Amino acid sequence: MTPSLASLPVSATKLVRRGLHLCVQKIRRNISELNDKPTTWAIGLDGDYTKWNEGFFEIGNWTTSFFTGMSLLAWEDTEDEHFIREVERLLPLYQQKLEGENAANTMHDLGFLYSLYSVALHKLTGEAHHRDLGIRAAEALADRFIPEGNYIRAWGRMDEDSTDNAGLAIIDCMMNLPLLFWAANETGDPKYRDIAIRHSDTTLRNFIREDDSVFHSYRFDPMTGEPSHGDNYCGRGVDTHWARGTTWAMYGFALAYRHTGDERYLDASIRVTRKFISLLDDEVVPVWDFRLNEGEPLLRDSSAAAVAACAIQELQALGKADASMLGAKDELLARLCSADYLDTDMNCRGVLKFSEVGDGVGNARSAYTSWGDYYFMEALARELGLPVSWW
């Protein structure tokens, strides 16, 4: 088994500090150049995110804010105002994304986009316009709620009911709900909290299988809202066990527990976390799907490892992580900080090698990913005691 942080010859703090310093160096360059030509910067097969050809206002953009999040983590570490100034340069784009036709071309990942932008900026600067924009984003996310089925529709325009996106929810949405919990606290309007709880309950009932594995997606009758069947867009298949989807559930339900105190959500997070840990092998970084067919390449997903570390840190902060979870967290971070996964080349924009991205339903490939880089940096920041307050 890979050594844990505590057993490495270099002290754990130094190892984590080195990783965070690398992230700070890379985001210093990346956030400025992203500002110069704003797009989504989602993935880079060779680590060059600028090659990802998707505009900021396209409906598929769920990734730009992973770079703003990294920049704000860099400010937490350095207090260098450069990082906040660069993030605030993007404000007109984030405002325009919620206006007119652009507002129709958004999806449930408004939570990823605006928690790591407006909510974070408001908490760090206290500026009212960041609060107001975050509340507008929460309103747009709430508008995606389907009351007949008690779920937030994942994808597609809400005025398009005849596409494959109708009746679809995905596990990733658990990470979008903190935007609604925050808006409820800010405005005093209970509808945001109610929607977040109802979606969480629906996810709890339908997405987590009896063996504590997780569906990537689930379908509901678009007219009646009745649950129909599990589905898949990111894992190997409908009945397989996509690793990163598991970590979205681990972290998302832990956050839902923090916001509500509902023990059912805590139980779900703990069960799914224990299942995840039980499936790790000597490589520690998980395979991209835990139910690959025999003989298929054991493609790893470093981004799933990073999200898992954050999830366990959240349970730790809640006082709910046991020794096996803390040991797994240390092993995950130690492996990600190794030369096998951490790219120290300053000519490469990406930080984590070997994240998994979909290459058609049922297939995957390795790449650098914006979300892998962000959650890795978040995990390092949390390990050093820096505040991460936007979830």
Side-chain angles (χ1 to χ4, degrees):
M1 182 66 75
T2 298
S4 68
L5 286 172
S7 66
L8 289 171
V10 178
S11 73
T13 300
K14 286 184 178 178
L15 189 71
V16 171
R17 167 55 61 189
R18 287 177 184 175
L20 184 62
H21 179 65
L22 176 70
C23 291
V24 170
Q25 288 180 297
K26 290 202 175 190
I27 194 58
R28 184 180 293 278
R29 169 196 176 192
N30 283 340
I31 193 64
S32 296
E33 296 189 12
L34 177 61
N35 261 309
D36 293 337
K37 190 179 179 182
T39 58
T40 65
W41 279 31
I43 69 173
L45 296 180
D46 61 356
D48 187 353
Y49 293 119
T50 66
K51 295 178 181 178
W52 186 249
N53 186 26
E54 183 179 56
F56 183 86
F57 297 114
E58 291 187 32
I59 196 169
N61 179 12
W62 68 288
T63 57
T64 301
S65 291
F66 292 123
F67 295 94
T68 66
M70 291 181 74
S71 189
L72 296 176
L73 286 172
W75 180 85
E76 292 274 22
D77 182 49
T78 66
E79 296 189 359
D80 184 342
E81 293 299 318
H82 163 83
F83 292 109
I84 286 185
R85 286 197 302 270
E86 287 297 310
V87 171
E88 290 189 317
R89 281 177 61 196
L90 290 164
L91 179 61
L93 292 177
Y94 278 86
Q95 292 171 327
Q96 293 165 36
K97 194 165 181 64
L98 294 177
E99 296 172 355
E101 190 68 9
N102 290 333
N105 289 315
T106 57
M107 55 176 177
H108 73 157
D109 286 327
L110 285 160
F112 279 120
L113 287 172
Y114 285 86
S115 290
L116 289 172
Y117 191 79
S118 300
V119 175
L121 279 171
H122 176 249
K123 289 190 171 187
L124 293 178
T125 70
E127 294 289 343
H129 59 272
H130 293 311
R131 173 186 179 275
D132 295 343
L133 186 58
I135 292 169
R136 284 174 55 197
E139 184 70 23
L141 179 57
D143 286 344
R144 300 190 66 83
F145 183 66
I146 308 297
E148 294 81 4
N150 290 307
Y151 67 92
I152 295 171
R153 176 175 161 176
W155 297 330
R157 292 171 57 113
M158 296 302 288
D159 57 2
E160 294 177 348
D161 296 327
S162 60
T163 71
D164 191 51
N165 294 317
L168 180 69
I170 67 174
I171 192 63
D172 314 39
C173 194
M174 289 302 301
M175 291 301 301
N176 290 313
L177 302 182
L179 178 64
L180 297 177
F181 286 120
W182 170 82
N185 291 335
E186 287 294 315
T187 65
D189 189 336
K191 75 173 182 179
Y192 300 111
R193 180 182 175 85
D194 179 61
I195 288 171
I197 290 173
R198 290 166 72 180
H199 181 89
S200 296
D201 288 349
T202 298
T203 305
L204 188 61
R205 285 193 300 270
N206 295 288
F207 280 74
I208 301 179
R209 305 183 182 107
E210 288 187 5
D211 66 354
D212 298 329
S213 63
V214 179
F215 282 112
H216 166 250
S217 55
Y218 210 88
R219 290 206 163 271
F220 302 83
D221 185 293
M223 299 299 295
T224 68
E226 284 297 308
S228 179
H229 58 276
D231 208 339
N232 168 66
Y233 289 86
C234 290
R236 181 67 181 84
V238 173
D239 295 317
T240 62
H241 188 189
W242 182 46
R244 193 164 74 249
T246 297
T247 65
W248 294 141
M250 290 163 57
Y251 201 178
F253 277 110
L255 291 169
Y257 169 70
R258 191 222 296 168
H259 286 288
T260 65
D262 191 324
E263 295 284 341
R264 296 174 305 141
Y265 303 151
L266 174 62
D267 176 67
S269 178
I270 289 174
R271 287 190 289 114
V272 174
T273 297
R274 287 176 174 160
K275 180 74 171 183
F276 176 87
I277 292 171
S278 75
L279 296 171
L280 300 179
D281 58 18
D282 287 347
E283 179 61 25
V284 182
V285 172
V287 293
W288 72 282
D289 193 301
F290 292 120
R291 293 177 181 163
L292 298 175
N293 294 325
E294 186 176 353
E296 288 190 77
L298 298 179
L299 186 73
R300 303 289 166 168
D301 187 358
S302 60
S303 70
V307 178
C310 292
I312 296 171
Q313 287 169 327
E314 180 65 25
L315 290 171
Q316 181 181 11
L318 293 165
K320 304 299 181 179
D322 61 25
S324 67
M325 295 176 192
L326 296 178
K329 181 256 296 180
D330 280 356
E331 290 176 355
L332 288 164
L333 286 177
R335 195 74 185 101
L336 293 178
C337 286
S338 74
D340 289 339
Y341 288 95
L342 188 61
D343 195 322
T344 59
D345 181 1
M346 289 306 298
N347 292 315
C348 178
R349 294 179 185 277
V351 177
L352 273 189
K353 297 179 277 188
F354 306 123
S355 288
E356 173 266 334
V357 295
D359 192 16
V361 173
N363 298 302
R365 56 183 171 167
S366 282
Y368 297 75
T369 64
S370 53
W371 56 90
D373 290 356
Y374 168 78
Y375 283 102
F376 175 63
M377 188 176 185
E378 180 183 310
L380 299 176
R382 292 183 69 143
E383 200 68 11
L384 291 170
L386 296 176
V388 178
S389 60
W390 29 89
W391 301 119

